[in-house]
Amino acid sequence: AILDWKSRRTRFLDSSRQSMAAAPYHISNLLEKMMSVDKDYRFMATNDLMTELQKDSIKLDDDSERKVVASVLRLLEDKNAEVQNLAVKCLGLLVWKVRETQVSTIVTSLCKNIFSEKEELRDICGIGMKTVIAQFPKTSGGVAVSSSRHICDSFLTAIETKSVDTYILLEVLDVLAELIQKYSSSLSNFHETMVTVCMPYLVDPHPLSVRKRTYIALCNLSISCSSVLFDSIITQLLMGLKLGADGSGSFSLINARTYIQTLAAIARHSGTRLSPFLVQVVPAIMYYTKNDKEDELRESCLQAFEALVSRCYTEITPFIPQIVGLSLELLCHDPNYDYGLEEEEEGMDTDKLEDEEFESDDEYSDDDDVSWKVRRAAAKCLGVVLGSRPEMLTSFYKEVSPSVIKRFKEREENVKIDIFAAYCALLNCTRITSSVQQTSDEMEMTDTPISLLSSQVPSIVKALHRQLRDKSLKIRQGCFALFTSLVSVLPGTLDTHMDQVIPGVLSSLVEKTSTPNMKMDALSFLNILFTHHSRTVFYPHVSAILPAVITCVNDSFYKIISEALSVLKKIVEIIKPLDAPQDGGEGVCDYQPHLEDIYETTLSRLKATDIDQEVKEMAITCMGTILCHFGSELQSKLTVCLPIFLERLKNEITRLTAVRSLNIIARSPNNIDLTLILVEVVQLQSSFLRKNHRDLRLATLTCLDSLVKVYSTTLSPTLVAMVIEEIPQLISDSDLHVSLLAMTFICTLLTLHKSEVVMNIGRGQVMVKIIDLVQSPLLQGSALNAVLQFFQVLVQQNVSGGVTFNELFKLLTDSVYQPREKEGTVLPGTQLAIHKQAFHNIAKCIGVISLSVQSKTVSVVEKFIEDVKNETCTTSVKLLALFSIGEIGRHSDLSHHVSLQEVIIDAFSSPTEEVRAAASYALGSVSSGNLQLYLPVILEEIQSKPKKQYLLLHSLKEVIACHYATPEGLAALKPYVPQIWPVLYSHFESLEEGTRNVVAECVGKLTLLDPEILLPKLKENLASSSAFVRSTVVTAFKYTVTDQPQPIDALLKNCIGDFLGTLGDSELNVRRVALVAFNSAAHNKPVLIADLLDTLLPVLYKETKVREELIEEVEMGPFKQIKDGGLDTRKVAFECMYTLLENCLDRLDIFEFLHHVEDGLKDHYDIKMLSFLLIVRLSRLRPTALLERIEKLIDQLKLTIQSKVKANAVKQEHEKQEELKRSALRAVAALLTIPDSDKSVVLSEFISQIKGNQETAALFESVQNDSASGGIEAMEVK
C-alpha cells in the first residue's frame, strides 16, 4: 500500500510540475485534483496548494480566487480528516491572498456551517473560523472589521433567536470573545446586544464551560464598552449577588460563584473602571465568604479579592484590613485535619526529631476534600497584599506575619508553596523599603519592620528547619527561597541558627533522591549563607559541609560541579582567611584534616580538559584561591599545579580567568613561590597587552603589578623591557581606566626595579604618551592622581642616567612656552595654546615635582612670578604660571616670596578673563599655605574693592575648599570663622546671583565647622524681608546636608522643616533653590525629611504645574519666542520626585505621584524626558500601580511617539525629536517588563502600532537591545 501511494504521489508531482512549468501562477490543475475521488490525490493537491499560497510571489486573478476559495470550502466537508485539516490551514493563508469579496465568502460560509446539524462539519468550521480570525491584522480597518461585523451579527442573531447545541455555543462564545478583544472599538454597535444575549448564559442551567466563556467575553467587552454599558454590566452582577444574599431560590450559589468570577475577571482587565463600585462589590463578595459549606465559592471570592487588591490599588485600601483578616482566617481552613499532633511534636526534643525522617502527610488527604483550594487562594491573596503595601509593613509584621509563620506547617504541598511565596513577597517588599537610609535612633526602635522581623526570625527557623528534610523537593526549594529572601533583608540573621539550618541543607546534597535542580538550589543557598554571615559560625560545621560539597564537585553534571567549586572557594576563604593569626588561637578553624581533600578534588577538575567551559573557569578560580590561602602548606604541590596554570594561560578561552587567579596567588601574604613559571607568565602577559580585549588588558596590568611587587629582584631587565615596550599604546585618554593601571604599574617598576631599562622610562615613548595624556581635557580623578604619583616617583628616584628635574619641567611646559601648530588649534594673540583644563593638570604635575625636589621650589616660583609680571608673556604662559603657583602654595608656605601677593592681586586687573580667574584660584590656594598672613588680606580686599569682590570671594571659597577636605584643615580654619562670617554675611543680599552662590557655598561649608553657633545664625535670616537673602540662606543650607555623617545632622533634624518651608515662598527664585535643597536632602539624608513629607509633598506637587502667568512671548527681531519662566522650577521639582521615588518610596502615595507624572508627559521637552525616566523607575519599584494607570500613560506616550517635527525644522530639532521618541520607547519597553502587562489590550495594541511603522519599529528594536544588555537600570541612566 505504501509503495502504491508513493508511485501515485510521483505521478501526481510529475503532472503538477508540468502544469506549473507551463503556467507558474495558474493552479487549475491543482483544483482539478482537489476534486478527485482518490483521497490521496486530494490530500497531495491541497498540500501543494498550501505550499504555493505560502509563497510571496503568487498572485491570483478574480476567477482563480473564486475557484480556489470554493474548492477549499468544499474540502471542509471532505470525508478524510487530514484533507479537512489542510483545508483549514489553506483558509488561514487565503485571508492574506484574496480580495475582500472572497474573504466575505469564506466568513459567510463558515458562519453558516458552524450551525450545521452535521457535528463533524461544525467542528471543522469552528476551527476554520478561529484560524481565519487569527490571521486578521490586529489593527482595525478594512476586511477584518467588515468580516468581524458580519460574524458578530450572524452569531448574536443565531444564539438570541434559537436554542443551539452546547458545543456550538462554546465555539460562538470563543469567537465573539476574540473578536471583541481585537476590534472592540469597531464593533461598538454590537456591544449592547452582546451584553443582552450573553448575560443569561452566566446562570444555570448552562454548564460551567459555557459560563466561563461567557464571562471571558464580557470581560473583554468591559475594557472598551461605554461607561453606561459598563455600569449596566456591573449593576446586573451586583443585583444577582444581592438576590442570592437575600435568600432568593432563583439565584443559586453556583450562579453566585459565576458572577463573582466575572467580577474578578473584569477587575483584572478593567480595574480602574471597576473602582467606583468597590463600596458595593466588596461587601457583596464578603457575604459569600461566610458560607463554610461551599469551598469552591469561597475560593472564587478570594480570587476576586486578589484581583481587586492588585488592580484597584487606591480604592481598595479601606478594605485591606477586612481582606487580610479574611485571608488569615481561611488560610487556616482545614476541617478534615487535626494539627494538634504536630503541635505536640514541636514541643519534643528537636534533636531527636531531626534524626527521624520527616513523614509526609499525604495519608491524611481526602480525595473529596477541596478545602486546600480555599487555603491556596487565601495564600495568594495575602501574597498580593503583603507585597504591594509598603506603608503597612509595620502592622503586617505585628498582626499578619506570626499567623503566616504558623501556617508553614500546612500539609498540602501546593498550598505550602504559595504560603512561602506570600511570605517571600513580604520580605521582598521589606527589602525594597529598607533601602532607605536609617538613623541610629530609628535602627534602635522596636516597632520598625526590620526590628519586628528580627524578633520573628527564631519562629521562622523553627517552622522551617524540619521541612528542609521534607520528602517533597518543591517544599525544600520553597524553604531555600524563603531563607534566601530573609538573608537578603537581614544579613547575618541566621548566625545563631546554623545548628538548625545546615543539617537540612546538607540532606539535599547527599540524599540519593535529590535531583540536580535540588542540589543546585542547596549549593546556591550555601553560597548565600557564606556570603552574608560571620565566618566563625560555620567552623563547627565544616567537617559536615566539606564532604557533601566535595561529593558534588565529583558529580557528573557540569552545573552542579561549577556551583560546588564556587561553594568550595567560599569555604576556603572561611576556614583560613588571609587576616587570620599565623600562630592559631581562638576563633581559628582546624582545617588541616580537610586540606588534602580540598586540594586533590580541585586539582582533578583543574587537570581535566574534556569538561564544560564553566567548570574549567571555576576550577581555575577555586585553585587560585586555595593556593592564595594555603600556599605555605602546599609548597610541595606547586610543581604539579603551577604548570597547569601556565597551560590554561596559553589557552585563549581560559586565559582571562587564569590571569585573574595568578593575580590572587601573587598577592597572597603567604608568599607563594611562582618562580617555576614566572618568566613564561610574564612573557605571555606582555603579549596579552597587545590583544584587543579590554578585560584581559585590565587583568594583565593588575597581575603584572602584583608580580613586580613580589618578584622585582627576580625579573631580568630584558623581561621588564619586553613589558615596558607594550605600555605606551595603553596610555590614552580614550580609556582612562587602562591608563590608570598602566601608570600604576610603571610607578611600581620605578619604585622596586632599579634597572637601567626602568630608569630610562622618562626618556622613552612612555613619557611621550603621558605628556599627551596630561594635556588632554578628559584627564581627571584617579587617572590624574596616577599621573601625579608617576611624576612624584620619577623625580624622587634621583639616579644617574635618569630624567632630571629640569628635563621633566621642560617636557611639561613646552606645550605652553613653545606651542606647536595643531589641527584645529589657534595660537596667535591671546588664544590659549592648550585646552583650559590641561593648564590645571600641568600645574598639578609641576606642583608635585617642585614639592618633591625642595631645592627647586624657590626658583620655580620665582620664574612663575616673573612670567606673571612680564607683559610680553602670552595668556597661556600666565595661566600656567598662576595655576602652578597655586598648586605649590597649596602645600607649602610661600610667604618668603615678598612680591607674590602684589603680583597675584595685580593680575586681578588683567584684561583677560581667564587670567583673572586663575589669579583668584592662585590667591586662594596660596592663602591655604599660610592662613595667618594671607586670609586677612583676602577679607580686607573683599571689603575695600567692590569691583574685585567676585574674584576675591572665589579665592575665599578656594581657601575653605582646601581646608574642608581634611580634619586637620578644618581644625586650622576654625579659629578664623569669626572673621570670615561677617564678611560673607554682608554679601547675602548681593544683586549678582553668581556672587550669592559663591557666598552660599562658603557659608554652608563654614556652618559645618561650628554648627551649634552658625546654624541658628543661618536660620535667623530665613525671616529676612529680602528674597535675595532668603535664597542665599537656603542655598547655603544645601551645602550643610552632605552624604556623610556629620555632627550637624542632629541639629538639622530639628530645623530642616524651617529651611524647607521656603518651598512655599512668594518668590519664584527662592522656591527654586528650596527645591534644589530639598532634592539634595532627599538624596543625601532622606531620613531627615521622611517625617516632613506629608507637609512638603503637596507643595512639591504644586511646583510641577505649568503657570500661565509665567509664560510670556518675547520678540527677537522678526521672530517671536515663547519664554516659560517656571520651566527651571518645574525641572527641579521633577528631579526631586525622581530622587524621592528611590529614597522615600514608602512615604509616597503612589497614585497621587503618578497623577503628576501623567501631567509631566504633556509638558515641555525637558519635563517629558524626566517623566519617561520616572516611568522606567516606577516599572521596577511599583509595577502594580503603574499597570493600573497604564491606559492614561499610553495615551500620552502615543502622542509623543507619533508626533512629527515641522517640514522646515532644523537638524537640532530633528535630533531632539528622535531622542524624545527613544526615551518614550524606553518607557514602553519598561512597561513590557511588568508582570501581566501582556494582558493589557491597550498596551498590546500600542505595541502592534509601534511595530507596524517601519521607523518606530527600528527605534523600538534598538531600545530593546539596549535594555537587554543593561537591564532596566541601564534604561534609567541613558
Side-chain angles (χ1 to χ4, degrees), residues 986-1054:
S986 64
H987 293 85
F988 271 25
E989 204 170 354
S990 172
L991 297 178
E992 296 291 333
E993 185 177 3
T995 301
R996 295 200 305 273
N997 288 338
V998 175
V999 169
E1001 184 175 349
C1002 295
V1003 168
K1005 291 181 176 179
L1006 280 180
T1007 304
L1008 293 173
L1009 290 176
D1010 195 357
E1012 293 184 356
I1013 294 176
L1014 300 181
L1015 187 61
K1017 288 185 178 181
L1018 199 61
K1019 180 181 172 183
E1020 288 173 4
N1021 288 282
L1022 287 173
S1024 172
S1025 59
S1026 168
F1028 289 157
V1029 172
R1030 296 197 301 275
S1031 68
T1032 305
V1033 169
V1034 176
T1035 305
F1037 158 76
K1038 179 187 72 172
Y1039 290 99
T1040 66
V1041 187
T1042 65
D1043 58 351
Q1044 298 296 322
Q1046 298 280 356
I1048 198 174
D1049 292 347
L1051 300 173
L1052 284 175
K1053 181 75 174 175
N1054 299 323

Side-chain angles (χ1 to χ4, degrees), residues 516 519-520 523 527 549-569 601-602 604-606 608 610-619 622:
K519 290 181 180 180
M520 285 288 296
L523 289 167
N527 234 331
V549 174
I550 288 174
T551 300
C552 291
V553 174
N554 294 322
D555 199 276
S556 58
F557 184 41
Y558 76 96
K559 287 192 174 181
I560 292 178
I561 301 171
S562 177
E563 193 66 37
L565 285 168
S566 176
V567 173
L568 192 60
K569 173 179 170 289
T601 302
T602 308
S604 66
R605 290 301 179 186
L606 183 65
D610 56 343
I611 53 176
D612 189 84
Q613 174 69 18
E614 188 178 341
V615 177
K616 287 181 182 178
E617 292 181 353
M618 190 50 68
C622 187

Side-chain angles (χ1 to χ4, degrees), residues 468 480 501-510 522-523 525-526 529:
L468 286 170
F480 289 145
V501 176
I502 294 292
V505 178
L506 296 182
S507 66
S508 295
L509 294 178
V510 300
L523 289 167
F525 180 59
L526 270 179
L529 281 181

Side-chain angles (χ1 to χ4, degrees), residues 237 615 776 1032 1047 1176 1256:
L237 294 173
V615 177
S776 169
T1032 305
V1176 173
T1256 55

